[in-house]
């Protein structure tokens, strides 16, 4: 048998192993307590849709976003609808019954991250749990929000604390929500409230020292990615379920298309050039990649490996790679604060990989993707381990190995010592790319010169118009001793800190 055929066979077996029967993958299949799921406002129908009787108890859920069924087994619902979860044992997708809305009385699967228990704080339209200060500003200043729009979020700086962000004449003001020993909440000590709901209700009626009376909750942006494409934890999916719509680009491994899964769901499809790697290695790595989920990391949904070319199905990012995005913009629309914010997002995704003890190995602007509103997500983590091919001189052979030389830390080039700290080095280069709007690093040097001069202490000078603090971060990432380089957690914190230093929004003691 040809090596390639053997490899393919291995892969098919491996893929079959991943498709465990549902009872196995679900763990202890204890039938979940029938809970209820609900969905939120925005329904403008004049006559209310028929509703199923709402079960008593505190297990009713509210849908936070609209969801359109992707398979015959799914339920469609709208934000504000109520749903009863009949079986939650699968984790990311629950079997539920719609109590209200277009699917009232029907049963089917729903994505668990689209709903929240109806009586919980998560079901409040104004609660944006893990939204960072910076994201709160972005959300509140986005189209659709008016003066007085607000949200409450968990404070970044003090865990367990909450912050109130309010849109005031186009600017966002932030207030700390503090708690007394008896658990009561307050913004100003002379007015305390037993619950957050009461606090919101009070400041919706009176501004009472706030910059504005609270009006509409901040509009939620896009619905989050579902965890996986559907309730079936499908890993190997039939090629026929994917329709390629248009070519988005070509990369080192093959071409990338915008595609449609099951005729319902937009996805990106990476098609791999035959023979780029051993599929068995790829499948093993991809199985790990699939489990790594974070808002700043591209989600790997599924693969088609039974025939060549292999397809890798991931979430779709409408603005393509960060490198192209920066080069196209050249500073026309993106300001320094956008650049820092994008860098902070990459650091956040990488901080998650750091926590998982996972190494990217090829962090660069070409491997970061951009969505709406400058959202950045790190892509292709781990792939460099399974294939490294030459592309436009970026990956250059050195003693039989191929590296993106200008992005790779010296210990990785010289001793093949890849670690999260070599990723930190690459992050410093990525910062250079961001600040220069996608210039090639070490512009006047060849790869060979870079390999020669870095161990002798040479480092790129600060690019023009680069704030000193940013160049300080780059230099920290390029410390020779990798242990002296910062962690991604610190990098994230330092980059996000740029915005906390903005004093324009602190103008009285209760704000920060
Ligand atoms: P790559 O093979 O990863 O280098 O990708 C080649 C090009 O395809 C990139 O430069 C992007 O413009 C585009 N691309 C790759 N992945 C995606 C995705 N998930 N969503 C949208 N565009 C993508």
């Amino acid at each position: 048998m040809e090596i390639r055929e053997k490899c393919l066979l291995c892969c098919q077996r491996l893929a079959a192993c991943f498709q465990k029967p549902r009872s196995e993958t679900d763990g202890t299949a204890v039938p979940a307590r029938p809970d209820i799921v609900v969905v939120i406002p925005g329904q403008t129908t004049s006559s209310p849709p028929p509703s199923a009787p709402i079960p008593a108890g505190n297990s009713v859920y509210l849908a936070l976003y609209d969801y359109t069924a992707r398979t015959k087994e799914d339920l469609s619902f709208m934000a504000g609808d109520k749903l009863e979860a009949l079986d939650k044992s699968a984790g990311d997708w629950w079997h539920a019954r719609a109590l209200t809305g277009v699917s009232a009385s029907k049963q089917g699967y729903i994505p668990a991250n689209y709903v929240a228990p109806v009586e919980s704080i998560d079901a409040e339209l104004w609660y944006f749990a893990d939204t960072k200060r910076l994201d709160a500003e972005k959300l509140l200043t986005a189209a659709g929000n008016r003066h007085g729009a607000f949200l409450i979020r968990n404070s970044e700086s003090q865990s367990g604390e909450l912050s109130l962000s309010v849109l005031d004449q186009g600017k966002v003001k932030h207030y700390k929500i503090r708690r007394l020993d008896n658990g009561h909440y307050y913004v100003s000590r002379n007015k305390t409230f037993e619950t957050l709901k009461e606090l919101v209700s009070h400041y919706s009626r009176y501004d009472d020292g706030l910059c504005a009376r609270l009006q509409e909750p901040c509009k939620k942006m896009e619905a989050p990615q579902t965890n996986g494409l559907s309730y079936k934890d499908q890993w190997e999916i039939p090629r026929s379920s994917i329709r390629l719509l248009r070519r988005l680009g070509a990369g080192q491994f093959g071409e990338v298309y915008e595609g449609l899964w099951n005729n319902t769901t937009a996805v990106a499809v990476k098609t791999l050039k035959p023979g780029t790697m051993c599929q068995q290695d790829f499948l093993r790595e991809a199985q790990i990649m699939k489990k790594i989920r974070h808002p700043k990391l591209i989600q790997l949904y599924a693969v088609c490996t039974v025939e060549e070319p292999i397809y890798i199905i991931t979430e779709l990012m409408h603005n393509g790679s960060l490198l192209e995005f920066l080069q196209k913009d050249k500073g026309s629309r993106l300001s320094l604060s956008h650049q820092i914010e994008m860098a902070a997002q990459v650091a956040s995704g990488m901080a998650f990989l750091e926590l998982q003890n996972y190494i990217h190995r090829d962090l660069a602007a070409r491997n970061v993707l951009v969505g709406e509103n400058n959202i950045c997500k790190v892509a292709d983590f781990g792939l460099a381990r399974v294939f490294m091919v030459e592309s436009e001189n970026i990956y250059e052979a050195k003693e039989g190995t191929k590296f993106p030389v200008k992005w790779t830390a010296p210990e990785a080039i010289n001793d093949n010592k890849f670690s999260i700290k070599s990723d930190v080095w690459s992050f410093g280069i990525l910062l250079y790319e961001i600040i220069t709007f996608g210039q090639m690093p070490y512009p006047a040097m060849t790869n060979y010169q870079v390999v020669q001069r870095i161990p002798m202490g040479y480092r790129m000078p600060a690019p023009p118009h680069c704030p000193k603090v940013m160049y300080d971060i780059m230099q920290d990432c390029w410390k020779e001793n990798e242990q002296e380089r910062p962690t991604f957690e610190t990098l994230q914190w330092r980059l996000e800190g740029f915005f906390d230093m903005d004093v324009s929004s602190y103008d009285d003691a209760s704000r920060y």
Side-chain angles (χ1 to χ4, degrees):
M1 203 188 297
E2 294 255 311
I3 293 187
R4 192 121 129 236
E5 279 178 297
K6 266 191 196 158
C7 205
L8 201 62
L9 203 64
C10 272
C11 291
Q12 288 165 4
R13 286 198 193 123
L14 207 63
C17 294
F18 296 144
Q19 293 173 296
K20 290 186 191 158
R22 202 164 168 72
S23 56
E24 265 180 77
T25 46
D26 293 346
T28 50
V30 184
R33 204 184 28 166
D35 285 359
I36 301 171
V37 191
V38 191
V39 197
I40 300 184
Q43 284 158 324
T44 48
T45 44
S46 47
S47 54
S51 304
I54 296 183
N58 57 2
S59 56
V60 178
Y61 286 75
L62 190 75
L64 305 172
Y65 309 93
D66 297 350
Y67 176 75
T68 308
R70 296 172 178 176
T71 68
K72 285 199 286 291
E73 292 86 4
D74 284 6
L75 276 186
S76 290
F77 53 79
M78 284 174 71
D81 286 348
K82 289 181 179 167
L83 301 123
E84 176 186 13
L86 303 170
D87 183 356
K88 300 199 287 187
S89 58
D92 291 330
W93 292 80
W94 296 346
H95 193 239
R97 180 168 69 100
L99 300 172
T100 62
V102 286
S103 301
S105 301
K106 289 192 192 141
Q107 291 190 11
Y109 287 91
I110 58 164
N113 59 335
Y114 276 47
V115 298
V118 76
E119 293 302 338
S120 71
I121 183 174
D122 293 301
E124 295 294 349
L125 284 179
W126 38 257
Y127 184 58
F128 284 57
D130 295 323
T131 302
K132 297 190 180 300
R133 178 194 174 95
L134 198 61
D135 292 330
E137 294 184 359
K138 210 154 86 178
L139 286 166
L140 281 163
T141 50
N145 285 316
R146 288 202 294 237
H147 179 71
F150 72 102
L151 60 86
I152 292 179
R153 60 191 168 84
N154 299 336
S155 165
E156 276 173 75
S157 45
Q158 277 134 318
S159 79
E161 306 251 317
L162 295 157
S163 299
L164 166 67
S165 303
V166 187
L167 182 66
D168 175 26
Q169 313 289 2
K171 289 221 155 203
V172 178
K173 305 277 166 62
H174 304 274
Y175 300 84
K176 276 193 198 305
I177 298 179
R178 298 177 191 276
R179 292 188 88 167
L180 294 169
D181 290 343
N182 64 6
H184 288 200
Y185 299 90
Y186 68 91
V187 176
S188 159
R189 220 171 234 286
N190 58 25
K191 244 276 121 36
T192 66
F193 306 91
E194 206 174 321
T195 64
L196 276 177
K197 231 176 175 158
E198 287 171 24
L199 183 147
V200 168
S201 159
H202 174 79
Y203 288 105
S204 304
R205 279 174 285 136
Y206 317 99
D207 57 31
D208 226 356
L210 290 189
C211 58
R213 195 159 59 77
L214 304 183
Q215 309 273 342
E216 293 278 303
C218 178
K219 302 257 178 294
K220 289 225 166 19
M221 283 176 98
E222 296 171 1
Q225 291 293 317
T226 55
N227 288 322
L229 280 173
S230 75
Y231 72 97
K232 272 191 212 149
D233 185 21
Q234 291 184 92
W235 176 230
E236 178 76 45
I237 56 170
R239 194 168 295 248
S240 57
S241 66
I242 294 287
R243 195 145 59 87
L244 301 183
L245 298 180
R246 74 186 171 106
R247 204 178 91 128
L248 295 170
Q252 315 147 34
F253 318 127
E255 293 179 321
V256 181
Y257 292 85
E258 178 178 342
L260 208 54
W261 174 74
N262 230 17
N263 279 327
T264 52
T265 312
V267 289
V269 183
K270 222 171 226 218
T271 64
L272 299 187
K273 282 183 209 149
T276 11
M277 38 105 224
C278 167
Q279 288 121 315
Q280 191 182 1
D281 283 354
F282 163 69
L283 273 176
R284 197 172 289 125
E285 197 65 28
Q287 185 62 8
I288 304 170
M289 287 153 54
K290 191 178 172 231
K291 291 197 180 117
I292 298 181
R293 287 180 184 161
H294 183 270
K296 301 299 175 197
L297 298 175
I298 288 288
Q299 193 184 148
L300 174 65
Y301 286 140
V303 291
C304 304
T305 62
V306 177
E307 291 160 49
E308 292 206 285
I310 285 184
Y311 285 180
I312 303 178
I313 320 294
T314 68
E315 85 183 81
L316 178 69
M317 297 290 276
H318 287 284
N319 286 315
S321 85
L322 175 60
L323 182 63
E324 295 154 341
F325 189 72
L326 291 164
Q327 289 174 340
K328 239 184 272 163
D329 184 87
K330 287 201 199 80
S332 59
R333 195 186 59 89
L334 295 173
S335 64
L336 179 65
S337 63
H338 289 119
Q339 290 166 294
I340 296 172
E341 191 208 327
M342 294 172 112
Q345 295 182 62
V346 175
S348 156
M350 289 304 300
F352 185 77
L353 287 187
E354 180 173 74
L355 212 60
Q356 309 296 311
N357 292 319
Y358 198 81
I359 308 169
H360 190 298
R361 289 169 180 253
D362 195 7
L363 183 60
R366 61 183 171 276
N367 287 333
V368 172
L369 293 167
V370 186
E372 302 299 333
N373 297 306
N374 304 337
I375 290 201
C376 290
K377 301 193 184 195
V378 178
D380 290 347
F381 38 95
L383 278 189
R385 207 156 96 140
V386 273
F387 29 43
M388 277 284 190
V389 294
E390 190 146 8
S391 150
E392 291 161 11
N393 227 15
I394 288 170
Y395 299 84
E396 186 171 273
K398 187 184 171 287
E399 290 167 18
T401 326
K402 289 170 177 161
F403 291 114
V405 173
K406 291 185 173 181
W407 282 260
T408 306
E411 73 278 4
I413 294 195
N414 296 318
D415 308 319
N416 210 19
K417 209 169 136 199
F418 282 90
S419 66
I420 196 70
K421 294 299 184 192
S422 55
D423 282 346
V424 169
W425 178 289
S426 311
F427 182 78
I429 307 287
L430 190 148
L431 282 185
Y432 175 93
E433 295 182 278
I434 291 181
I435 291 292
T436 60
F437 292 99
Q439 249 185 38
M440 173 63 89
Y442 310 91
M445 292 167 71
T446 62
N447 283 347
Y448 180 75
Q449 286 170 322
V450 172
V451 174
Q452 294 294 306
R453 292 186 59 189
I454 290 292
M456 291 158 70
Y458 176 82
R459 298 293 184 269
M460 268 191 283
H465 316 298
C466 176
K468 182 179 175 305
V469 270
M470 284 296 274
Y471 187 57
D472 287 347
I473 298 181
M474 290 181 207
Q475 285 181 304
D476 286 349
C477 294
W478 302 331
K479 291 250 170 82
E480 188 186 343
N481 177 351
E482 64 256 41
Q483 293 318 319
E484 288 175 17
R485 295 174 204 155
T487 59
F488 277 109
E489 188 193 3
T490 302
L491 287 165
Q492 179 187 355
W493 170 79
R494 278 170 77 178
L495 289 160
E496 285 170 355
F498 276 94
F499 302 95
D500 289 345
M501 285 187 281
D502 170 9
V503 289
S504 66
S505 60
Y506 326 169
D507 46 15
D508 75 34
S510 64
R511 289 183 204 153
Y512 70 108

